[in-house]
Amino acid sequence: MDQNIHVAQFYGKSQNFTQIPRALYTKHGVKRGLRNEDHTGVLVGLTRIADVVGYRRDADGHKVNCEGTLYYRGIDISDFIKKDIYNGYLYEEACFLLLFGYLPNKKELHEFCKNISDSYELPDDFLEMNLLRMPGRNLMNKLQHALLTLYNYDEDPDNTDVYQTLLKGLNIMGKLPSIACYAYMSKVHYYDRRSLIIHYPRKDYSTAENILSMLRPDSSFSEAEAHLLDLLLFLHADHGGGTNSTFTNVVVASTDTDIYSTMSSSIGALKGPRHGGANVRASKMMEQIIDTVGLNASEKQLRDTVYRILNKNFPGTDGLVYGFGHAVYTISDPRAEIMRNYCGEVAHKKGLDKHFDFYQRFESVAKDIISAEKGMDICSNVDYYSGFCYHMLDIPRDLYTPLFVVSRLVGWLAHNLENKLYDGRIMRPATKYVGDLLPYICREER
Ligand SMILES: CC(=O)SCCNC(=O)CCNC(=O)[C@H](O)C(C)(C)COP(=O)(O)OP(=O)(O)OC[C@H]1O[C@@H](n2cnc3c(N)ncnc32)[C@H](O)[C@@H]1OP(=O)(O)O
Ligand SMILES: O=C([O-])CC(=O)C(=O)O
């Protein structure tokens, strides 16, 4: 007999006692998902770190959808993307800006990068004890585990002073890329019986260069590849204080717990397929679609596929078209726009023109259909093209969301510090009790 049969019965019966009718949320003015009626987010904080713009307000206060813009400390991210002046270390430059609020001069950027690269090295035995001896099936969970373990290597781990948090955060930033790459190597060595490859990080390499060098068997990569990965890390670095994993960070940090617990909570949030985990779902979905309809699919086939996904009638899908939709962006997500613009050139070099073309055609059809079906503007988001870019860089799917962590850790840190400095209260909203008040009945009388 199924050992959970009784739990199933209790669960079935419980619905009579636990149900909360949807109308009560409206009655009590509860903002489900911390969202207003017009889908905009409830204001939960102030920030000077990043601004995510997907709509404006007209003179009457009505929401007017617009092309998306993302600002890091007031600077439009697309202003950073000038191919002719690319000098590497774009991601590190953004990290400096997000953390300290101003653009570094050359010397400051150099010192900052040195500070991070001085932390590349993992503590003695960390690799052997925590990654090679304990491979994990899911790298996001493994990252959480590794971060929580780093606590034990810190002599003063519970010190939550703002400056100490900054130093601890920079130390974690330096170590995370190798932890992610080694966790992957350990996983495929143990579970897939592949050869174990461990390359040490090089201090003269940027974060992007090191990731490519640690992942490639011969450590080699081209400048164009490093540039693309640097750009991807840059684009994922922050997204304001409202995004789920950053809000999680701020909520957890507001209890004054240690930074290792805080960052690990954010990783748990980012893993979810409606958030950062969407990059894996989108990539699998696109693979399945291409396998089913082929790269030369007609527009009708693409349309039918989108409807099948929405109707939960397409293998491996659950009604959501992953890589589409956003809580703030409406007409476009600027990161998806930038990625699309960069993809073409690299796709051409890699012989993936037809795949890129398919992604663009599917994007256009999906965007139109979902928007029409849901009666609102729905665009592709950052997770739509990122998997395609990682694929072009031969980065395995297992690492797509972990690389989001590597990049976003700086955003989590910046918001964590900002809230410690300027808000500082424990986050403690309220819920309204809508059940009955009942007497306690002795067991013998039930
Ligand atoms: C890094 C990031 O986190 S970017 C987001 C990554 N996530 C994804 O790509 C997953 C797919 N997308 C989604 O699940 C959503 O669009 C989210 C979670 C990103 C945003 O959610 P919300 O802002 O709550 O969406 P919202 O409530 O405004 O959506 C309105 C309607 O459109 C639907 N919808 C939104 N996006 C999609 C989608 N991609 N596919 C199908 N339906 C969608 C919602 O289910 C909802 O339908 P309903 O009214 O029938 O219940
Ligand atoms: O802002 C959001 O809700 C999700 C997102 O795009 C991000 O975190 O990058």
Side-chain angles (χ1 to χ4, degrees):
M1 194 176 74
D2 177 359
Q3 61 170 352
N4 290 326
I5 185 82
H6 295 299
V7 178
Q9 286 165 357
F10 308 150
Y11 181 66
K13 195 172 162 187
S14 77
Q15 321 272 314
N16 300 322
F17 304 94
T18 56
Q19 201 207 24
I20 302 181
R22 193 48 75 80
L24 283 186
Y25 288 88
T26 317
K27 178 177 168 199
H28 294 291
V30 174
K31 315 262 183 173
R32 288 190 307 116
L34 292 179
R35 247 33 116 57
N36 300 308
E37 288 298 310
D38 63 0
H39 293 263
T40 59
V42 169
L43 206 56
V44 291
L46 301 177
T47 185
R48 288 186 63 171
I49 298 167
D51 196 10
V52 183
V53 180
Y55 55 87
R56 307 208 177 271
R57 296 275 173 201
D58 67 14
D60 300 323
H62 295 127
K63 182 183 175 205
V64 181
N65 295 345
C66 63
E67 298 283 351
T69 318
L70 173 59
Y71 298 91
Y72 287 167
R73 296 280 182 186
I75 304 173
D76 186 333
I77 55 160
S78 50
D79 289 348
F80 287 79
I81 318 295
K82 303 249 189 300
K83 282 191 203 172
D84 46 330
I85 55 163
Y86 178 71
N87 292 319
Y89 293 89
L90 179 62
Y91 167 68
E92 285 81 358
E93 185 182 15
C95 290
F96 187 105
L97 175 67
L98 291 166
L99 287 172
F100 303 113
Y102 66 97
L103 283 171
N105 62 30
K106 276 189 187 162
K107 187 165 175 294
E108 287 170 325
L109 182 59
H110 176 78
E111 294 300 339
F112 179 69
C113 293
K114 184 169 174 331
N115 183 294
I116 300 204
S117 61
D118 282 345
S119 305
Y120 283 169
E121 194 81 5
L122 296 179
D124 278 351
D125 292 342
F126 188 92
L127 167 64
E128 293 77 6
M129 297 292 289
N130 302 301
L131 300 172
L132 298 183
R133 279 175 187 267
M134 298 179 76
R137 275 185 198 282
N138 185 291
L139 298 192
M140 292 295 277
N141 293 56
K142 194 63 217 173
L143 284 192
Q144 288 182 299
H145 174 243
L147 260 190
L148 291 172
T149 307
L150 272 182
Y151 175 100
N152 302 315
Y153 292 81
D154 184 333
E155 285 181 0
D156 190 15
D158 289 308
N159 190 335
T160 57
D161 163 77
V162 177
Y163 183 63
Q164 290 303 319
T165 303
L166 169 65
L167 296 181
K168 290 178 198 302
L170 291 174
N171 180 43
I172 296 172
M173 274 170 64
K175 293 184 170 41
L176 254 188
S178 25
I179 291 178
C181 293
Y182 296 160
Y184 170 75
M185 293 303 178
S186 173
K187 179 190 166 182
V188 294
H189 179 58
Y190 184 78
Y191 292 105
D192 303 343
R193 305 195 66 77
R194 289 183 19 201
S195 301
L196 180 65
I197 296 170
I198 299 292
H199 296 308
Y200 287 97
R202 281 177 49 168
K203 282 195 175 191
D204 58 327
Y205 276 174
S206 68
T207 307
E209 290 168 331
N210 260 318
I211 291 169
L212 292 173
S213 138
M214 286 189 284
L215 287 179
R216 305 263 167 101
D218 63 356
S219 275
S220 72
F221 56 87
S222 70
E223 202 180 302
E225 289 175 319
H227 182 176
L228 180 59
L229 185 55
D230 197 18
L231 177 74
L232 291 170
L233 293 173
F234 165 80
L235 291 175
H236 287 84
D238 190 41
H239 216 239
T243 185
N244 192 293
S245 51
T246 307
F247 185 55
T248 298
N249 200 286
V250 166
V251 170
V252 175
S254 79
T255 67
D256 215 14
T257 189
D258 67 278
I259 188 173
Y260 304 97
S261 303
T262 308
M263 293 302 174
S264 139
S265 311
S266 289
I267 295 175
L270 193 73
K271 180 187 176 194
R274 290 200 211 166
H275 191 12
N279 59 14
V280 169
R281 290 285 179 101
S283 147
K284 284 186 179 164
M285 178 190 80
M286 292 306 288
E287 187 176 81
Q288 176 79 49
I289 296 172
I290 292 171
D291 282 352
T292 309
V293 296
L295 287 172
N296 296 321
S298 65
E299 176 158 345
K300 180 173 180 314
Q301 284 176 300
L302 297 184
R303 292 182 67 81
D304 289 348
T305 305
V306 176
Y307 281 115
R308 282 184 67 193
I309 296 174
L310 292 177
N311 294 328
K312 303 184 188 174
N313 183 21
F314 190 80
T317 55
D318 56 6
L320 286 177
V321 187
Y322 283 92
F324 289 83
H326 200 273
V328 183
Y329 296 130
T330 51
I331 295 176
S332 59
D333 176 337
R335 302 163 299 175
E337 300 295 307
I338 292 172
M339 276 186 223
R340 189 192 313 103
N341 288 340
Y342 268 75
C343 274
E345 212 173 296
V346 188
H348 183 65
K349 281 190 195 141
K350 298 262 174 186
L352 290 168
D353 289 307
K354 278 197 124 182
H355 280 78
F356 180 50
D357 179 60
F358 187 92
Y359 262 75
Q360 289 184 93
R361 290 195 301 124
F362 183 82
E363 179 188 21
S364 156
V365 167
K367 189 175 159 159
D368 287 352
I369 295 178
I370 314 170
S371 299
E373 288 293 314
K374 300 297 171 183
M376 55 194 283
D377 288 319
I378 291 188
C379 59
S380 59
N381 60 46
V382 66
D383 292 319
Y384 182 64
Y385 282 107
S386 63
F388 182 65
C389 292
Y390 291 135
H391 171 70
M392 291 197 294
L393 292 171
D394 299 321
I395 290 176
R397 201 179 265 154
D398 271 331
L399 275 165
Y400 291 1
T401 324
L403 287 186
F404 200 153
V405 174
V406 166
S407 167
R408 183 56 61 85
L409 196 112
V410 69
W412 295 335
L413 179 62
H415 288 275
N416 180 321
L417 299 174
E418 189 181 59
N419 270 271
K420 271 194 205 311
L421 279 167
Y422 305 112
D423 185 327
R425 293 189 96 167
I426 187 166
M427 291 272 179
R428 204 305 186 187
T431 53
K432 179 161 184 63
Y433 180 70
V434 291
D436 300 321
L437 293 179
L438 300 168
Y440 177 78
I441 301 168
C442 314
R443 281 186 210 170
E444 292 71 27
E445 292 170 24
R446 285 174 220 163

